């Protein structure tokens, strides 16, 4: 269906399935600081776009369900490692609950690798790449990062030594014992801290610089050598005898020239520790470099959230303004609280409902009787079908038969912008309530009502407020809207587009109750016309009820203008007559 080939429909499905607030719109993708809202830039849903969008959504839902990042991940490299480790752990938990997500998450990692995002090029990124790759291999069975892991091993062995590499890989085996759920975040922090501590152990003060030799010290050293028999062959023979006698026990290792007393094994270890960091295979790591690594971290390297947003924004930049106007968007949605009682005149609305329903029922009964069918018997011969006999089709008699009524889904959009003040909003909310009450009582019709306005570009509060959901009974107090600010008509139409294409009913209708003038951003008039054209192209019919204003005539062909509620039944009958009786 259409909803599965457009990003807006996909994101609405994700939002329904996961509870994450997913929206589509604008030229930039972003995630709210609390991680509860994900916006994806408007773009055609290419295979790559779908892949990255779904992967990002699954990734964020996983954090929402399985991560407890209270207090944040931490500073510098510690925070980077916590994020990387927790990404792997929460994806494992997400896949355990939703096995079908394994394919998407594996595919999106493959995509990132193919784009070169996860190949390390310095010591810091090598630590991140090895940590990420090990987790994805051990917990998720993903092998795509093997080349990046090999590169990371080369960099770490070259700069920190083979022993360090062995120790960090030993720490990373801890992935296999990580607990599930939000309590497991603590284990991610612990593993990250162990890796940072291992790096800190590589930091040592530089060895002291020996003083320059003086004539006195050189003379003293020469006398000491003579007293110890430094050049005596007898002493050398005695030393050789001692070395031979001890060859089967502790091996005493002297200096190259044999001038110093031999050392025991423990003394040798201490000397090696003085000359190089522990576990560094004789390599001397730069302490300042390691300190900077720990303090500054790896930047955006390995941050899957930022990588995904970067990729989505790159795709969005390829979209022209003309194309973007025709792309369905999905705004933020909230449910209207029933706390505005007394603003809808229920008695007047019910009276208007009874008059409208009687006339609409007659329209629907007319479409229940199909105009013409053909059968193998009857009284009226269809002469133009006689040729069908030659092809083996004996249905040459005209028949009139009863058919099931065409099912219809209707979305009512109520404009609650600032221009809808005074008598306008009073008439509009009464009209919307009456329309919903009328349509829900007509056989074969399902109806859904929302109000819309715009407070700010960040969509805080949400611009769409659900007044009555599919199948619910309308309550007057839920339709008691007061005027807001701007009029984001394109967003309202796109919301209806997504809702209607999610429905199984073959006929889909939008009833727009507004004073007609879109307002909110530059180019909103063109955006409104583009959205209208797209809805019509996709088989969604639009009818507009203008409230005290004929501006609706500039945007929608099927329209009526009313000055009060008493005019609504006639206006409603006028706009619905063609919609409900036209052949599909």
């Amino acid at each position: 269906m259409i909803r599965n080939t457009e990003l807006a429909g996909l994101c609405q499905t994700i939002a329904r399935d996961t509870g994450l607030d997913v929206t589509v719109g604008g030229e930039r993708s972003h995630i709210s600081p609390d991680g509860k809202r994900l916006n994806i830039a408007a773009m055609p849903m290419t295979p790559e776009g779908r892949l990255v969008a779904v992967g990002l959504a699954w990734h964020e839902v996983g954090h929402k369900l399985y991560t407890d990042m209270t207090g944040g991940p931490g500073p510098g490299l510690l925070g980077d490692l916590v994020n990387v480790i927790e990404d792997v752990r929460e994806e494992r938990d997400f896949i355990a609950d939703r096995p079908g997500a394994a394919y998407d998450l594996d595919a999106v990692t493959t995509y990132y690798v193919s784009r070169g995002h996860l190949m390390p090029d310095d010591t810091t990124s090598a630590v991140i790449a090895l940590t990420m790759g090990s987790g994805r291999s051990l917990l998720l069975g993903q092998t795509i990062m093997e080349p990046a892991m090999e590169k990371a091993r080369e960099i770490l062995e070259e700069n920190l030594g083979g022993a360090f590499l062995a120790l960090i890989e030993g720490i990373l085996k801890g992935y296999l014992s990580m607990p599930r759920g939000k309590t497991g975040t603590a284990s991610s922090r612990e593993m990250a801290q162990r890796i940072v501590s291992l790096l800190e152990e590589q930091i040592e003060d530089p060895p002291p610089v020996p003083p320059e030799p003086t004539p006195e010290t050189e003379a003293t050293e020469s006398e000491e050598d003579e007293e110890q028999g430094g050049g005596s062959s007898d002493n050398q023979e005695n030393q050789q005898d001692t070395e031979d006698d001890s060859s089967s026990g502790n091996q005493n290792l002297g200096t190259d020239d044999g001038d110093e007393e031999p050392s025991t094994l423990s003394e040798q270890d201490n000397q090696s520790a003085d000359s190089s960091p522990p576990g560094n295979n004789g390599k001397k790591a730069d302490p300042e470099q390691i300190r900077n690594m720990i303090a500054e971290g790896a930047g955006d390297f390995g941050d899957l959230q930022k990588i995904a947003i970067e990729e989505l924004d790159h795709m969005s930049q390829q979209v022209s303004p003309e194309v973007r106007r025709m792309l369905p968007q999905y705004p933020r949605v909230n449910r209207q609280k029933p706390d505005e009682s007394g603003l809808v005149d229920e008695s007047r609305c019910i009276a208007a409902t009874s008059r409208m329903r009687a006339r609409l029922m007659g329209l629907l009964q007319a479409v229940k009787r199909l105009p013409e069918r053909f059968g193998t018997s009857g009284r009226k011969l269809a002469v133009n079908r006689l040729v069908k006999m030659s092809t083996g089709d004996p249905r040459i008699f005209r028949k009139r038969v009863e058919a099931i009524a065409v099912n219809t889904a209707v979305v009512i959009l109520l404009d609650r912008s600032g221009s809808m003040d005074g008598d306008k909003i009073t008439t509009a909310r009464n009209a919307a309530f009456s329309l919903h009450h009328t349509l829900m009582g007509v056989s074969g019709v399902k109806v859904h009502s929302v109000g819309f306005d715009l407070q700010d570009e960040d969509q805080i509060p949400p611009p769409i407020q659900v007044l009555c959901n599919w199948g619910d009974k309308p309550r007057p107090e839920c339709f008691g809207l007061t005027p807001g600010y701007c009029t984001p008509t394109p967003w309202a139409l796109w919301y209806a587009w997504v809702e209607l294409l999610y429905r199984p009913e073959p006929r889909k209708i939008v009833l727009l109750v507004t004073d007609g003038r879109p307002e909110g951003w530059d180019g909103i008039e063109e955006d409104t016309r583009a959205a209208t054209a797209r809805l019509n192209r996709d088989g969604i019919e639009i009818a507009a009820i203008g409230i005290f204003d004929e501006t609706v005539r500039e945007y929608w062909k099927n329209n009526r203008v009313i000055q009060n509620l008493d005019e609504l039944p006639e206006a409603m009958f006028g706009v619905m007559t063609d919609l409900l009786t036209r052949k599909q």
Side-chain angles (χ1 to χ4, degrees), residues 528-551:
T528 300
R529 291 186 173 91
T532 298
R534 178 60 190 270
L535 265 67
N536 290 335
R537 191 187 83 183
D538 292 339
I540 298 175
E541 301 159 286
I542 303 175
I545 304 293
I547 306 298
F548 295 7
D549 197 313
E550 296 187 359
T551 309

Side-chain angles (χ1 to χ4, degrees), residues 196-233:
V196 171
S197 297
L198 184 62
L199 281 167
E200 289 173 340
E201 291 173 4
Q202 310 307 304
I203 302 175
E204 288 188 350
D205 292 332
V209 178
E212 291 292 333
T214 63
E216 292 81 2
T217 57
E218 289 179 352
T220 304
E221 290 175 356
S222 178
E223 292 173 358
E224 290 176 351
D225 289 343
E226 291 178 359
E227 290 176 359
Q228 294 174 3
S232 169
S233 60

Side-chain angles (χ1 to χ4, degrees), residues 1 3 16 406-410 444 446 470 498-508 584:
M1 296 180 68
R3 67 174 180 269
R16 287 177 183 269
V406 175
N407 291 329
T408 303
V410 180
K446 300 296 182 182
W470 302 101
V498 175
E499 281 292 324
L500 287 170
L501 291 176
Y502 190 81
R503 298 292 305 177
E505 290 82 6
R507 171 151 283 166
K508 306 172 193 301
Q584 295 242 38

Side-chain angles (χ1 to χ4, degrees), residues 210-254:
E212 291 292 333
T214 63
E216 292 81 2
T217 57
E218 289 179 352
T220 304
E221 290 175 356
S222 178
E223 292 173 358
E224 290 176 351
D225 289 343
E226 291 178 359
E227 290 176 359
Q228 294 174 3
S232 169
S233 60
D234 292 338
N235 287 341
Q236 289 177 354
E237 291 175 359
N238 293 336
Q239 180 178 348
Q240 183 65 43
D241 293 339
T242 303
E243 290 174 357
D244 293 339
D245 292 339
S246 61
S247 60
S248 61
N250 291 336
Q251 294 183 352
N252 297 328
L253 302 178

